[in-house]
Amino acid sequence: MAYPYDWQWKLRKGNYFRILSEYIVAVYGQVLETLPQKGYFRVKAYSAVIPAGHKSVLCVVEPTRLLTRREFEEAKARGWRPREDEVQ
């Protein structure tokens, strides 16, 4: 498989995403803006470690899944922890 995936190239302002990895805590976020450098975005990201969120830069290959607003809000209600069936 080639990175980035087609769906990753379609990230736009307002999109919600998740980063799920065995190496870090689950991260949920929203794209705030597209940066001039292709494939980079300013985002606000949340996790169980930083529940209030943190503004950061995201590379297009980092998200592991796009989320709906509803899925994002459900993750927030869970304290930014993935559901049992989402854990790798």
Side-chain angles (χ1 to χ4, degrees), residues 5-49:
Y5 294 116
D6 288 339
W7 67 265
Q8 289 171 316
W9 281 123
K10 295 177 184 174
L11 280 171
R12 297 290 178 263
K13 180 179 178 179
N15 286 159
Y16 298 96
F17 62 88
R18 176 183 72 202
I19 301 172
L20 195 57
S21 167
E22 62 185 278
Y23 304 108
I24 61 170
V25 297
V27 175
Y28 297 84
Q30 183 177 24
V31 177
L32 301 176
E33 67 178 319
T34 302
L35 295 177
Q37 186 176 359
K38 184 177 180 179
Y40 287 87
F41 306 89
R42 182 156 322 279
V43 301
K44 186 154 186 190
Y46 306 83
S47 71
V49 178

Side-chain angles (χ1 to χ4, degrees), residues 46-84:
Y46 306 83
S47 71
V49 178
I50 306 176
H54 174 75
K55 289 185 180 176
S56 185
V57 174
L58 176 84
C59 179
V60 71
V61 299
E62 293 178 273
T64 55
R65 185 171 179 278
L66 283 177
L67 300 176
T68 65
R69 181 182 175 109
R70 180 179 176 177
E71 290 171 319
F72 181 82
E73 293 297 333
E74 289 170 354
K76 181 179 180 181
R78 290 191 307 273
W80 305 114
R81 289 175 173 78
R83 296 186 325 249
E84 288 283 328

